[in-house]
Amino acid sequence: MIFAAYKLDIVTALSAALALRTIVSLYSYSGAGKPPMYGDYEAQRHWQEITTNLPPKDWYRNTSDNDLLYWGLDYPPLTAYHSYLLGSIARRYNASFVELYKSRGIESNEHKNFMRLTVLFADIVLYLPGLLIASLAILKQQQVKKSLLLYLIPMAFYPGQILIDNGHFQYNNISLGLCLLAIASIYKEKIYLGAFLYTSALNYKQMELYHALPFFVYMLRTCFDQKKFSTKAKTFILLALTVSSTFIVLWLPWLQSLNSISEVVGRLFPIGRGVFEDKVSNFWCAINVVYKVKDKLLNQQMAILCFGLTAAFVLPINIHLFFNKRKETFILSLVNTAMSFYLFSFQVHEKSILLVAAPAMLLFSRYPQETFWFLEATVFSMFPLFIKDGLILPFFILLFIYHVVIKQFILEHFNFLESRSTILSAISSVSVFSMFITAFISLIVPPPTKYPYIWPLLISVYSFVHFILYFGFSLKHQFMNDGNNKLKSK
Amino acid sequence: MDKSFWKIFALSSAVKILLIPAPHSTDFEVHRNWLAITHSLPINKWYVDETSQWTLDYPPFFAYFERMLAYVAYYVDKEMLNLHKLNYNTIATIYFQRCSVILMDFLYAIGVYRCLRVSNVPLKSQQYLATASLLLFNVGLLFIDHIHFQYNGFLFGILLLSISYMLEERYVLSAFIFAILLNFKHIFLYIAPAYAIYLLKFYCLAKGRNKFICITKLLVFGLIPFVISFAPFHNQMEQVLKRLFPFKRGLTHAYWAPNFWALYNVGDKVAAKLLGITTKTGPTTSSGLVKEFAPLVLPNITPRTTFVLTLLSMLPIMIKLLAYTPLRDAKATFLRAIVICSCSAFMFGWHVHEKAILMSLIPLCLLFHLYPTDAKHAFLLSVVGYFSLFPLLFETSLLVLRYALYLFYMFLMYGQMVRLYTPLRDYKTNLIENCYIYGFVLLPIYEHILSVNLNLHLSLPFLPLLLTSVYCALGVTYFFISYYLYTLGIKPVALFKSFTKIETTSKTKTKSKTRTQQINGDKVKLK
């Protein structure tokens, strides 16, 4: 029984990552003990109830058995099928988990164990292997070969995804796992597989649209890069076929009439909500501190403004990608596009930062210190959410573990020759330290009565500053680095 | 000061803090009750009180320790010190008790730190980091102390402190600390023979020492802790001892610890089935309800039998330590003697708990980075020993957790072993051992998949426990024999091979020895 030491290290790291997820699973989830609406946990459970009890046609439709105001299904079909699958297992296991109406707000240890296990299952089967495959793909591209662990650990131990999926309760591990696998396929030049995986990710969670443009642009450019016209056309048609057939298969139950399609689409993209709900660390929320845009403009006008500003950032980024098709630029443009959406678009959740963090994790080996700093800021930006969910202790501990593991055992393997890095290291240490302090103070010091939301606001503005800095950093690297490389190659 | 050691300790503490909300066992209530007893009763009632079924059955130092904790507990939540609030577990109580375990583990870290310093491994070397992380992240302690709930961490810390002083040749201090440990938890009596013989041979009978003065010193310092600890109870010694040594319990614990008696019980059942003898009415041994059990076919076992068997099994290593250990091997043999003594007690002792395997596993870790064969045995026993703790963590929410932590630790250990010893062959497991280790995959498959799908969990609810216990018992027995032979310097392979081949084996022996020396080089001074 002889295995190479590095392979054993990988299994060790993955088991440790899984162990942390199982421990976080012991904690509370969103909306625990908060009737009548509860939280995301109940939403996921309710979808299992709806999908197992009603025909697919009625899943997205308001009927006498499906009250859309009570956590109506508003995720794309793949989530619905996943819920159906889980619901069927739940019914076999204990029928009361998914009984129509009666199961609403069910809260027992047995049910919590079941739900937690479903997330852990997705971690084991999809997300953690996905991270491994993605880090292998990135490693292949590197000129200087380093231990795979240096790529894997920063991804597998990232507290943001753990706290949201295994704590708060969601299945981002599925959509992000599919997306990372799609990126890995593209890294390995398997663009059809990549197209299929990305389409699946998009059909699991519509928020994956944040990543759509770079994928589209990169694949389009791949078609243009073919030498002959016939292969160009062939590649394009095959890609189009992959994407559209995936869509058709997944949307089959709703394709009979235009009406039912629009019902589903209407559920996925509701326009009725405001620009932001809670405090989000994005541009609009930060602007709101000095100038109350939200009150001055109508919702419709606001939406147009958001759209315009997002497009102003997203378009140049992706046009640049089209003319500079490189794998690293692809990752950078994924980060930049997702970040533009997060910072400037309409109706953003604090959890959407995970969509920026996921591709950013792949940049870790390239820009270790900056990315590490940014990743910690993303976790910090969700702190108000973790307070609500009763995840304060895991937030602090996981961030501490992440900080120590990366800072002490990973970063030292990336040799920094530039003197700048020590200054940067000092600044980032101070900044991360003040995040811990701010989070801690916000817990023990009650806010002044005049400003009851001062702490969440401070946290969101503080994180916003970090996001803007990282945005600028990665924009700079997207637009500048290629030039440098070209000069060098000449 | 070595930073990386304390960073690993900080990480392990972080994981322990994260484990605070994990479901705990009745031992949590046991310790809460002891807090209440020591806080609210006069000292002469401590070992008499029977308000709760979880009476005080640890030696007085532990009771004093609980008394100290109670001073703090008073400011956290007074009600947990109320003797009549049975099963009181508010959040404050849980955090208080869990945190006390985590804080006390600092003593464990100091013990580990000293042992590593004494073995003279260079800081930041692979050997140093391997042993430090294996001891600080010890998955058995995570399972038992931080999930199940007990205070083993700091007790092992005291043991490691004592060992570290022994390796430093500060014999009296070591004996003194060991005596303190015995007054915290008397189960460590099982390794006292190793201490006694080692001190006798290498301290009292060492060249250039006055035997009489040495023995007097040892006796005085060895007895001081006992006097301090038992003095307040001098007029109720009989009652205290009755609590400390409750022979009324059965031969095996409700869940059979994987030792010789587990195999004995199974052998008895099989024999009974074959002979067609049916069980008398009443619960059987595996039902977890009964305290006493009479075998159907094989002879009944009394505490005295187990006691004699335990001592007999310790005899060879004692003779080896006393008469056949050259000075350069003394320290390594001492550590091995500790492992073998505790393992003997585990194999043949009366009413052994599965947790007791830690007493072999933790000292064995100290040899992990020094000798490849010890490392291999440490790995084998870890695979078995930590697996056998699973029945303690039976809640559904702990299932994935226990496997993930277990796999993490086992792969960490295996990876470090490959790193440390790769040019050598002694650490490699042989075919039988490999098959046995792979067999551990089957147990969870049966427990979670087969038995549930075939509805066997209703008709044979205790079969998974039984299988775990018996399968692990085979492994512990194998380890015990193999490690014993290795320590005594007997090569089992040589026994099987014909005499003509002895020459070749002795050659390979010397070869591997020189290689070992090359690897260990001057770094290691465990002569």
Side-chain angles (χ1 to χ4, degrees), chain B residues 251 264-265 268-269 272 280 285 293-301:
Chain B
L251 171 64
Y264 187 84
N265 283 350
D268 178 65
K269 294 221 158 157
K280 294 154 221 161
T285 33
F293 151 75
L296 298 166
V297 184
L298 296 174
N300 198 10
I301 302 297

Side-chain angles (χ1 to χ4, degrees), chain A residues 1-3 5 8-9 11-12 15-16 18-20 22-23 26-27 113 117 393-394 397-398 400-401 404-405 408, chain B residues 7 10-11 14 17-19 21-22 95 396-397 400-401 404-405 407-408 411-412 414-415 418-419 428 434 437-438:
Chain A
M1 201 164 60
I2 295 306
F3 300 105
L8 294 164
D9 286 345
V11 191
T12 311
S15 314
L18 179 64
L20 283 183
T22 57
I23 301 176
L26 296 170
Y27 284 81
N113 288 336
L117 277 176
L393 191 64
I397 299 289
L398 283 189
F400 173 78
I401 291 177
V404 174
V405 168
Q408 309 303 336
Chain B
K7 271 167 202 159
L11 284 178
I17 295 173
L18 208 52
L19 279 170
Y95 270 75
T396 321
S397 57
V400 190
L401 174 65
L405 275 177
L407 285 180
F408 157 71
F411 280 107
L412 177 72
Y414 198 82
V418 173
R419 282 260 153 76
K428 286 176 187 166
N434 285 345
I437 291 173
Y438 285 129

Side-chain angles (χ1 to χ4, degrees), chain A residues 29-30 40-41 44-45 112 115-116 118-119 163-171 389:
Chain A
Y29 46 82
S30 77
D40 276 352
Y41 175 90
Q44 296 286 350
R45 193 214 54 77
K112 183 184 167 194
M115 295 293 273
R116 292 297 198 196
T118 62
V119 181
L163 286 168
I164 292 295
D165 285 358
N166 305 90
H168 174 86
F169 205 89
Q170 279 195 344
Y171 296 94
D389 295 344

Side-chain angles (χ1 to χ4, degrees), chain A residues 368-384:
Chain A
Q369 234 166 2
E370 294 85 353
T371 307
F372 172 50
W373 188 8
F374 166 69
L375 287 177
E376 292 197 312
T378 61
V379 186
F380 177 66
S381 75
M382 294 183 280
F383 183 58

